[in-house]
Amino acid sequence: MNRKRESITTIKGGKSLFVFFLLWCFFIVTTLSFAGTGEKPNEVLAIGSSVVVGGNLALAKERAISQALKKGVENYLLRRLGSLDTLNNFQRLAQEIIPRAKEEIENFNILAEYQIIDQYKVLVRLKINEKVIDDKLREAGIILTEGPPIKVLFLVSETKGGAVTYWWKDPGSPSALGPTELVLHNVFQRRGFSPINRTLGVPETQFSDDMRSFNLNDNDILRWGKLFTASVVIYGQTGINEEEGVSINLKAFDVKQGIMVSQELQVELIEKGPDGNEDIITLLEKIVSGLVDRMAPAIFRMAAVDHEKAQHIEITLIGLNNYRQFRIFRDFLKRDVAGVKSVKQIRVRRNSISIAVEFQGDKYRFLDCVLNHENIPFPLSLSETEEGKILLKVESDMSQD
């Protein structure tokens, strides 16, 4: 009985010490954060924790420190990028920046450490190497938004039960936003864009039959964008079918550059709610959010193209069957890809050719422009070497042309 009471007392005492430790850490973090003189812009505080297994305190400490360093880099990126830029670039941050956190840390100090039963915790102050972070953000094609929000116009039709609706069929007759349009407005606005509300009025002009067509060509899409003074036009189709599900196909056009910068398609099955009815709006929001996750980085990178200097980008074409294919691709880059200043052949091997491209923007914007271009001469698959060199492989079914 005495042993049981002693055990209970130990646990209660341990919990009290644990709570005291957390309050103490909170006090330190709060004090240093608001002191004004203790922390520099590239310094952050983070708490790491780990379970002590088999009495191996050294391993637990190592893991706790590693966790604190990773969390510190995450905290720094959140503070520097802000919520919108973090959200719009989350996929590349998660894939390319955060996993290599240790490379981005200049040094760190352990301010406090404490063990409570099988939990080991450390409080760490780390100093971020901002030059390394800058390089990695640039390499990952992450663009920080500056200036006013990007104005975006939606030209997205909706097909449900065989009925097709699209507002530009009769632009002079006022019509309410459809379900897809409403979701597009809400999702893009949350991502920092400025959606154009066409229900407030359509500019007065003569609308040609082509501009009122269900299937718009690129020129007419851009004409609509210029008419509304939009920076970006989102054009596409939504299909709602109870048996096949919901599909949304979207293309993003940069009005100033006059090119398509991104294209995405997503399909989801319709799930019945508790009452047996389909929750279409929730499903539309899920799909549109997924599409914007993939499209937003390309849109922001293209919006920043006017502010960037030309860069020399080396790529290698592999899987070529003949030299004619290379000439076709070279001419495509020079003629159709906006931002390309020059294309120079630098190496030739048996089935590959390396070229240097002078391009106004980084390699990620270049790849977006090439791989998503509607006039790309043949399908290409992208890969990178361990050294970061770009490889574009001609698909096998096209290599015999």
Side-chain angles (χ1 to χ4, degrees), residues 30-304:
T30 304
T31 302
L32 291 177
S33 297
F34 292 97
T37 58
E39 295 299 314
K40 298 178 181 179
N42 65 333
E43 291 184 352
V44 291
L45 295 171
I47 297 175
S49 63
S50 180
V51 177
V52 181
V53 180
N56 193 337
L57 187 62
L59 180 60
K61 181 176 181 178
E62 179 182 343
R63 289 176 175 173
I65 293 173
S66 179
Q67 186 191 77
L69 297 181
K70 184 177 179 180
K71 288 171 65 176
V73 172
E74 292 174 351
N75 293 341
Y76 169 82
L77 290 170
L78 284 169
R79 186 176 69 190
R80 176 172 173 180
L81 273 62
S83 59
L84 283 177
D85 284 329
T86 300
L87 180 61
N88 289 324
N89 296 284
F90 182 72
Q91 183 175 349
R92 282 179 172 165
L93 288 171
Q95 288 181 343
E96 304 181 40
I97 307 297
I98 295 174
R100 299 161 66 183
K102 290 184 179 180
E103 301 175 10
E104 297 142 11
I105 298 169
E106 191 170 319
N107 56 60
F108 68 91
N109 296 311
I110 299 176
L111 301 180
E113 51 188 306
Y114 191 77
Q115 181 185 356
I116 174 66
I117 310 178
D118 64 342
Q119 293 287 325
Y120 191 89
K121 294 185 175 291
V122 294
L123 175 64
V124 174
R125 177 197 284 129
L126 55 151
K127 185 177 182 180
I128 302 295
N129 189 323
E130 293 192 304
K131 183 180 183 305
V132 173
I133 285 283
D134 290 343
D135 291 341
K136 291 187 180 299
L137 291 175
R138 184 168 55 253
E139 290 171 4
I142 295 175
I143 302 297
L144 304 186
T145 55
E146 298 178 357
I150 297 173
K151 292 177 63 178
V152 56
L153 174 69
F154 301 110
L155 293 166
V156 181
S157 64
E158 188 173 295
T159 302
K160 183 178 181 181
V164 180
T165 58
Y166 56 100
W167 68 264
W168 61 95
K169 179 180 181 180
D170 189 6
S173 299
S175 59
L177 297 178
T180 302
E181 278 188 284
L182 187 61
V183 170
L184 286 167
H185 272 253
N186 292 337
V187 174
F188 271 82
Q189 191 168 48
R190 289 200 298 266
R191 293 303 182 90
F193 292 86
S194 178
I196 294 173
N197 187 353
R198 51 90 184 168
T199 63
L200 298 179
V202 176
E204 293 186 6
T205 186
Q206 292 293 325
F207 302 103
S208 66
D209 291 340
D210 290 338
M211 290 185 68
R212 292 186 285 110
S213 171
F214 171 73
N215 290 312
L216 296 172
N217 60 40
D218 291 1
N219 289 333
D220 289 319
I221 293 169
L222 295 171
R223 286 177 66 187
W224 275 113
K226 293 174 182 176
L227 191 63
F228 279 88
T229 65
S231 300
V232 172
V233 177
I234 301 298
Y235 171 74
Q237 301 82 31
T238 295
I240 302 175
N241 186 298
E242 293 185 2
E243 296 181 356
E244 298 178 3
V246 176
S247 66
I248 302 182
N249 182 16
L250 299 180
K251 298 179 181 180
F253 288 82
D254 183 284
V255 177
K256 184 175 181 180
Q257 300 291 328
I259 59 172
M260 184 179 71
V261 297
S262 181
Q263 179 177 6
E264 295 290 342
L265 168 67
Q266 190 163 327
V267 181
E268 296 282 347
L269 296 177
I270 298 175
E271 296 183 3
K272 301 287 185 179
D275 58 356
N277 295 322
E278 309 93 343
D279 190 354
I280 297 298
I281 295 297
T282 299
L283 186 55
L284 287 174
E285 288 184 348
K286 176 184 177 182
I287 297 175
V288 171
S289 294
L291 293 171
V292 178
D293 282 343
R294 301 190 293 274
M295 298 178 77
I299 295 173
F300 282 119
R301 285 196 301 274
M302 183 53 67

Side-chain angles (χ1 to χ4, degrees), residues 346-359:
I346 53 178
R347 280 191 303 276
V348 179
R349 295 195 173 107
R350 190 174 70 87
N351 68 337
S352 69
I353 297 179
S354 297
I355 59 177
V357 180
E358 185 181 9
F359 179 75

